[in-house]
Amino acid sequence: MSRRAVGAPLSRVDGRLKVTGRATYAAEHDIKGVVYAAIVDSGVGRGRITGLDARAALGQSGVLKVISHLNAPKLAYRPNAGSNNPEGGERLHVFQDDRVRFFGQPVAVVVATTLEAAQHAAHLVEVRYAAEKPSTGLAGHRTNKPVTYARGDAEQALRSADVRMEMTYRTARNHHNAMEPHATIARWNGHRLTVWDKTQWVNGTQEELAAVFGMPKESVRVISPFVGGAFGSGLRAWPHVTIAALAARETGRPVKLVLARRQQYFGTGYRPAYEYKVRLGGDRRGRLLAMTHDIRAETSTHEDYQEGVLTTGQMLYSMPNVSQTYERVPLDVNTPLYMRGPGHSTTSYIVESAMDELAHELGLDPIELRRRNEPDDDPATGRPFSTRRLRECYTVGAREFGWDRRDPKPRSTRDGDWLIGMGMAAGVYDTQRGAAQARARLDARGSALVEAASSDMGPGTYTSMTQVAADALGLSVSAVTFRLGDSIMPPTPPHGGSMTMASVGSAVQDACDKLRRQAVELAVADERSPLHGVDAGDVVAGDGRLHVKGDSARGETYQQLLARNNRTHLETLGSFTPGESRFSMYAYNATFAEVAVDHRLGLVRIRRMLGVYDAGRIISPKLADSQAIGGMVGGIGAALLEHTVTDPRDGRIVNANLADYLVPVNADVPSLRAIYLDGDDREADPIGVKGLGEVVYTGVAPAIANAVFHATGRRVRELPITADALL
């Protein structure tokens, strides 16, 4: 009998391509006749362009064209089109006027026959500005109309609470810093446009370009077979994508445009900085009565970006009285965007830090405090949870991490010069799903090809979809090929929000189920088939064969069936459309961290971490471990290292490089472990998954922050936690 592919710890089916360098990323496609583009970035943070002199640049050998607002054609920018635009506001209309909205905004592009010529000429373009002082920080600036939420009477409950606490937390701006830089190659063929792009959503980029250039989306093709990390930065088409397409149209040549590492910091999005004030009230037994959330976050002046930062505070704990105000502060900056665990990871840091502070105030174990406030149903909606196994996450995590060895007194455990602390936190992320399609084809050789216009920025989409398809068709993994990353394939939702496995995986399951049933129906109707006349429900697939359930000898291979019926292939289109649900659906985690803090230098080192996850069915344990470890590493960065620094005088990002913007390295992550509760959430989707890529990040930073407090007795309410804050 064939072994099940789903649930097996398989290596990535595309792994060999990646480690041998044969996987082709956006900038690596070999397009005949390609020329190169380099962007001229604004040198001021706000103002107007008063002059632009491109004569020196145009005089350089190999330079074909310099495009700016002085000579660029007017673009369409159809309103409300391009569905990967953030929550509201107006796109940045590149080269359409003389306004400068943020430091680093593209003000011109140079196109040349070589990359070196384009880069050199870009430095020769002289731009003069009427500069104005930009607004770049949260303090003291006006806000957009706030988003609010309330239940009960939080003010009255706080006044009557036995214990009242008030804290202000701050988190720094974080940038995605994926290994692969953003890049686009654009080529026109008459009125048709093809782009090879780094994107997490080929259909969204297709719609964006169609909107910008005023053309049917069917005339735009977007190709993106491999993505070298993104973490959310590829969920929309940034200005450089439009610029590459515009430059290709204006020069009549295919154009390649690759952002430099420095340009990633203002040419693409980031997790916005937050100022988050909390008031918390409870009784002496540790029951939560009320919590208020006053949130301020940065956005850009030309777009109104907002995250789902309110949800965690509404549903994570049983609490009768909640009040929330969420204000976005429009600044002269590039627009923020989703970054791993958007909204929930920020709020988890605040809520879980506040819970730890309350536990310390009450003299309660942090896990016990959380247990006492576990809701039976979703406090925000009143709906039952599809699954919610946080109690089990706590139990398993405490046992496996050795929580009972923790002395509850802060600053009580030492190892030489190091103060040792243990902390934990809960994490949550909503189970998102979107409409998706997939096409499946079974050929006369008995192998299958499955296609969907999804992406794979690292979680292993190629592999997990192959596993689902292989089991549905009764084939070995080696007999299935899954293709993705092309807008001519069946459409899928964005490759973000942990929705790919639930959405695309369910469409793949549907397509392959239909394909298997099509083959069964062909066999039972064929008088020459060993399966002729058998009830279709009694026929199963395995080892590349259809056979009678319980009688594997009575059957035939797919090859035999198709050859006898003179069929070159069978093909179906599968789909998944999420419907309304009476359940509240989330994935959960309990994260545990042990840290060591040098008592003289304030240096923080991670010793070990454990994450325990309620994430539904795990399709591929090996891929899941990769996701969990990556999420923990990202959380370590947010907690201890990552911080974008802006010069308030002009909006310049002063650490726009990987030497000064610090991210974790191997020495920072000595021991990371993940445990997955056995689960299967069929309320969420037909294959029982809940999404894993985001929830593994949420809860990590507060677990570390709580461990630092336990080690030192000092509560730091600002991320990242740096040595100076502990001295």
Side-chain angles (χ1 to χ4, degrees):
M1 287 292 293
S2 61
R3 297 174 59 189
R4 299 285 294 180
V6 170
L10 302 182
S11 296
R12 295 172 185 255
V13 299
D14 55 330
R16 184 173 295 274
L17 289 176
K18 290 180 175 178
V19 300
T20 58
R22 290 185 291 135
T24 307
Y25 294 87
E28 298 177 331
H29 293 273
D30 185 14
I31 307 303
K32 184 178 180 181
V34 73
V35 294
Y36 301 86
I39 291 175
V40 180
D41 308 310
S42 166
V44 302
R46 178 188 171 106
R48 291 190 175 274
I49 301 169
T50 58
L52 191 149
D53 189 347
R55 288 174 294 180
L58 289 167
Q60 298 300 302
S61 175
V63 173
L64 302 176
K65 198 171 185 69
V66 178
I67 305 171
S68 71
H69 73 286
L70 298 176
N71 60 351
K74 294 300 178 184
L75 300 177
Y77 287 103
R78 291 198 304 257
N80 301 320
S83 57
N84 58 342
N85 200 36
E87 302 297 333
E90 183 181 81
R91 300 177 193 84
L92 179 67
H93 294 185
V94 293
F95 309 153
Q96 300 297 288
D97 58 40
D98 62 0
R99 291 177 57 202
V100 174
R101 297 161 179 84
F102 57 90
F103 188 96
Q105 174 186 317
V107 295
V109 63
V110 177
V111 186
T113 54
T114 66
L115 176 60
E116 294 77 10
Q119 291 175 334
H120 176 62
H123 288 293
L124 298 178
V125 176
E126 295 184 9
V127 187
R128 297 184 298 278
Y129 305 95
E132 304 168 17
K133 183 173 176 54
S135 297
T136 60
L138 288 174
H141 293 296
R142 64 181 179 85
T143 64
N144 286 342
K145 183 179 179 181
V147 177
T148 61
Y149 169 87
R151 69 170 180 259
D153 188 338
E155 295 298 331
Q156 175 59 36
L158 284 170
R159 285 193 293 269
S160 62
D162 296 335
V163 180
R164 294 183 295 276
M165 305 182 72
E166 184 171 340
M167 297 82 74
T168 298
Y169 300 93
R170 292 178 176 85
T171 62
R173 182 193 293 188
N174 289 172
H175 273 83
H176 303 81
N177 274 307
M179 185 178 295
E180 180 195 14
H182 281 263
T184 304
I185 302 173
R187 182 181 68 192
W188 290 84
N189 182 7
H191 295 293
R192 303 187 69 84
L193 170 64
T194 301
V195 298
W196 293 262
D197 187 41
K198 173 180 176 171
T199 177
Q200 293 171 242
W201 193 17
V202 294
N203 300 118
T205 298
Q206 177 190 36
E207 291 183 19
E208 177 83 1
L209 289 169
V212 168
F213 289 97
M215 54 199 294
K217 72 174 185 178
E218 293 76 19
S219 297
V220 180
R221 183 180 180 187
V222 179
I223 301 171
S224 183
F226 292 97
V227 178
F231 313 110
S233 66
L235 283 170
R236 68 171 296 183
W238 295 103
H240 70 272
V241 181
T242 295
I243 291 171
L246 175 63
R249 194 175 71 173
E250 292 298 292
T251 60
R253 303 277 294 273
V255 169
K256 178 189 292 189
L257 175 52
V258 182
L259 294 187
R261 177 62 60 181
R262 176 183 63 87
Q263 292 174 317
Q264 308 283 327
Y265 288 81
F266 44 75
T268 65
Y270 51 88
R271 191 193 310 279
Y274 280 89
E275 179 184 270
Y276 201 124
K277 297 180 180 179
V278 168
R279 291 181 297 156
L280 179 63
D283 63 24
R284 287 291 172 186
R285 295 173 299 168
R287 294 304 301 265
L288 299 174
L289 299 177
M291 194 170 188
T292 67
H293 310 248
D294 293 305
I295 309 162
R296 287 165 57 87
E298 60 183 340
T299 187
S300 65
T301 55
H302 56 284
E303 289 183 291
D304 187 9
Y305 172 76
Q306 56 183 293
E307 288 189 324
V309 293
L310 302 182
T311 306
T312 302
Q314 296 172 12
M315 55 67 61
L316 188 53
Y317 296 111
S318 180
M319 194 176 331
N321 305 284
V322 177
S323 173
Q324 296 175 314
T325 300
Y326 170 29
E327 299 178 300
R328 288 93 60 219
V329 182
L331 301 173
D332 299 310
V333 296
N334 188 27
T335 304
L337 194 70
Y338 319 105
M339 187 170 172
R340 195 169 194 177
H344 289 280
S345 61
T346 298
T347 317
S348 289
Y349 164 64
I350 280 80
V351 171
E352 291 301 283
S353 295
M355 289 291 285
D356 205 66
E357 296 203 42
L358 179 61
H360 177 69
E361 177 71 17
L362 294 173
L364 276 176
D365 180 88
I367 294 178
E368 179 58 27
L369 175 64
R370 288 165 173 81
R371 287 185 181 278
R372 292 184 185 184
N373 291 281
E374 264 291 289
D376 295 323
D377 297 314
D378 188 332
T381 65
R383 294 178 178 177
F385 294 107
S386 58
T387 73
R388 179 175 170 125
R389 299 165 67 190
L390 259 177
R391 288 188 178 92
E392 191 174 347
C393 290
Y394 298 148
T395 300
V396 172
R399 181 186 68 233
E400 296 296 318
F401 201 68
W403 187 257
D404 60 343
R405 300 193 300 269
R406 174 184 183 265
D407 185 332
K409 183 180 178 181
R411 208 179 176 90
S412 60
T413 305
R414 281 180 174 261
D415 182 0
D417 290 335
W418 297 91
L419 303 169
I420 309 302
M422 293 170 62
M424 59 79 57
V428 61
Y429 198 82
D430 48 317
T431 299
Q432 298 185 29
R433 302 150 304 152
Q437 293 182 353
R439 182 168 50 244
R441 177 186 174 108
L442 180 69
D443 66 30
R445 296 170 298 172
S447 58
L449 172 65
V450 184
E451 295 180 321
S454 187
S455 297
D456 187 354
M457 62 171 165
T461 311
Y462 281 105
T463 306
S464 56
M465 300 303 164
T466 300
Q467 290 174 272
V468 170
D471 280 356
L473 293 169
L475 294 172
S476 66
V477 168
S478 61
V480 177
T481 299
F482 181 74
R483 291 179 182 166
L484 54 71
D486 194 327
S487 61
I488 65 173
M489 296 175 180
T492 60
H495 181 51
S498 290
M499 71 173 78
T500 298
M501 196 69 243
S503 309
V504 183
S506 294
V508 168
Q509 180 77 49
D510 183 57
C512 293
D513 284 346
K514 288 177 177 176
L515 190 59
R516 185 190 66 252
R517 289 195 293 267
Q518 190 180 126
V520 169
E521 290 166 4
L522 182 63
V524 299
D526 183 356
E527 295 180 353
R528 296 168 293 173
S529 172
L531 298 171
H532 176 63
V534 175
D535 187 288
D538 292 332
V539 179
V540 296
D543 295 320
R545 301 175 69 250
L546 298 176
H547 63 85
V548 176
K549 188 186 304 180
D551 184 4
S552 59
R554 185 179 176 185
E556 62 180 332
T557 66
Y558 286 123
Q559 296 100 308
Q560 292 168 328
L561 173 65
L562 268 63
R564 192 175 56 253
N565 285 273
N566 295 316
R567 303 289 288 269
T568 60
H569 68 278
L570 302 176
E571 186 171 312
T572 60
L573 183 68
S575 64
F576 168 68
T577 303
E580 289 294 323
S581 175
R582 67 181 185 89
F583 291 93
S584 178
M585 294 179 288
Y586 294 88
Y588 302 90
N589 80 64
T591 301
F592 295 78
E594 181 178 282
V595 304
V597 182
D598 189 299
H599 78 99
R600 290 176 298 183
L601 302 178
L603 300 176
V604 181
R605 295 290 182 264
I606 303 296
R607 286 198 162 189
R608 59 194 178 102
M609 294 190 71
L610 168 68
V612 184
Y613 307 100
D614 167 21
R617 188 178 178 213
I618 302 299
I619 299 297
S620 176
K622 198 169 186 178
L623 293 176
D625 274 353
S626 179
Q627 284 290 284
I629 291 170
M632 288 187 233
V633 172
I636 291 170
L640 302 177
L641 299 169
E642 297 187 52
H643 183 194
T644 305
V645 181
T646 303
D647 188 329
R649 296 172 298 178
D650 59 8
R652 182 190 307 265
I653 296 174
V654 300
N655 62 335
N657 57 74
L658 288 178
D660 299 315
Y661 183 101
L662 303 180
V663 297
V665 297
N666 283 346
D668 297 314
V669 288
S671 176
L672 307 179
R673 183 186 174 199
I675 297 173
Y676 316 96
L677 302 184
D678 188 25
D680 193 335
D681 191 349
R682 298 294 165 141
E683 297 296 340
D685 49 75
I687 59 175
V689 304
K690 296 174 71 171
L692 190 65
E694 316 289 351
V695 75
V696 294
Y697 186 100
T698 65
V700 177
I704 294 170
N706 294 339
V708 168
F709 169 75
H710 180 239
T712 65
R714 179 170 294 187
R715 176 66 62 178
V716 180
R717 297 191 180 114
E718 185 167 347
L719 295 185
I721 299 170
T722 53
D724 58 299
L726 295 171
L727 293 177

